[in-house]
Amino acid sequence: MAPSPTGYLHVGTARTFLFNWLFARQRGGECFLRIENTDMNREVEGATEQIQRSLTWLGLDWDALSFQLERMQRCQEEARKLVDAGHAYEDEGAIRFRMPDEGTTAYEDLVLGSVETPNEVLDDLVILRGDGRPTYNFASPVEDWLDGITHVIRGRDHISNTPRQINILRALGAEPPLYAHMPDVAGDDGKKLSKRHGAQSLDEFRDMGYYAPALMNFLALLGWSYDDKTTIMSREELIERFSFDRVQASPAAFDYKKLDWMNGVHLRALRPDDYANALIDYLGPSWDAQKVRRIAPLLQEKLTRLGEFPRWASFYFRDGVEPEDPSLLDPTVISRAQEVLGRLESWDAASIEAALRNLAAELDLKPGQAFTPIRMAVTGSRISPGLFESLELLGRDESLRRLIRAGDAEA
């Protein structure tokens, strides 16, 4: 794959690289990452590093990394040979490739089937700029030839480039590789995926707390399927099962709801230690890792994304809380909760639950009516991990301190 460092890595480009990677790993081949830096005027600072960092985070690796301008001298030499052979000519300091005027350029696409292009529509494209830099449509086939590339798997937007590159390769005396053009990735409105549909770069998905193996699983299903029912697959299963037979030709819809669902399934399937480690890695050093590890088991069944952790768990990391809705702090319930919990001999979730359910019965309240004021007092929110487990985690002293503070606020 040859991403251009003119911007951060788009999720559609990452999907294309994933298909390259799955195919290469399944066949025991090599996967090349080639930075297409022939247009230096549009290069974005830091984009090359971001591309590599994002792919690594997703779980992808490569067997060779190259920059197209590294072979500028070789491209210049080959362009001159094409001129000498009559396949190219000079034009105002640049060199243009002489496309055939008659007939068609045909190839068998691994996804689209037979593709034919009338040669009369192919323009004599510039292959070497006046300053000596090769264009993408020359540097790319030259590298395919020199690197012995057997398969080029790329986006549908390259279809117009393929017949041009085939003709260049034939003029170089090289056998063209096999081509596979992946379906476009569209938003839920059927239009090409863009900012208006949501996150775009892999960095954004990482920052939102998506779990990389889940995103890989989701991206693999954008235009490909193993069968009509299997959705959740591991990295190893994707490598084993991938084939071009099941890659569809029509655009694939990027469904954020499906991604969230798949992400939640992957997170819940993790072993508790692995889940805690994933949270710690995501949150970074500013969060107390030991505390994260303690509260992680209470949230594994609740979080769709790792990025939701602060909303659910921030009460545990703060020195006291401010109730988001003080009107829910029923003073009678708060006062009685202080009393019954203060008398507990054992501070564990089971004992706390029994005491608070008895309290609800004494006050002739439904459990939800009795627990909501207590939850608001100790977590500051209507939404939290299990109340009894949260109280156990906070500890007796801190739990009672928060109840007393809430009671004083209502007095």
Side-chain angles (χ1 to χ4, degrees), residues 208-229:
M208 292 168 68
Y210 285 100
Y211 181 54
L215 184 58
M216 176 188 285
N217 185 174
F218 175 79
L219 292 179
L221 297 178
L222 287 179
W224 172 80
S225 64
Y226 173 58
D227 53 29
D228 296 328
K229 57 185 178 180

Side-chain angles (χ1 to χ4, degrees), residues 100 102-109 113-119 122 162-164 166-167 170 175-177 179:
E102 300 177 351
T104 61
T105 299
Y107 65 97
E108 196 68 22
D109 191 285
S114 180
V115 179
E116 294 188 8
T117 303
N119 287 331
L122 301 178
T162 301
R164 294 174 168 85
I166 288 175
N167 282 311
R170 287 172 176 165
E175 185 67 26
Y179 294 91

Side-chain angles (χ1 to χ4, degrees), residues 4 13 48 61-62 67 90 94 97 100 111 119 129 171 173 251 321 335 356 392 397 407:
S4 172
T13 308
T48 296
D61 56 2
W62 46 91
F67 296 81
E90 295 190 35
F97 182 80
V111 175
N119 287 331
R129 298 179 177 92
V321 293
S335 176
L356 293 183
E392 177 184 346
D397 293 345

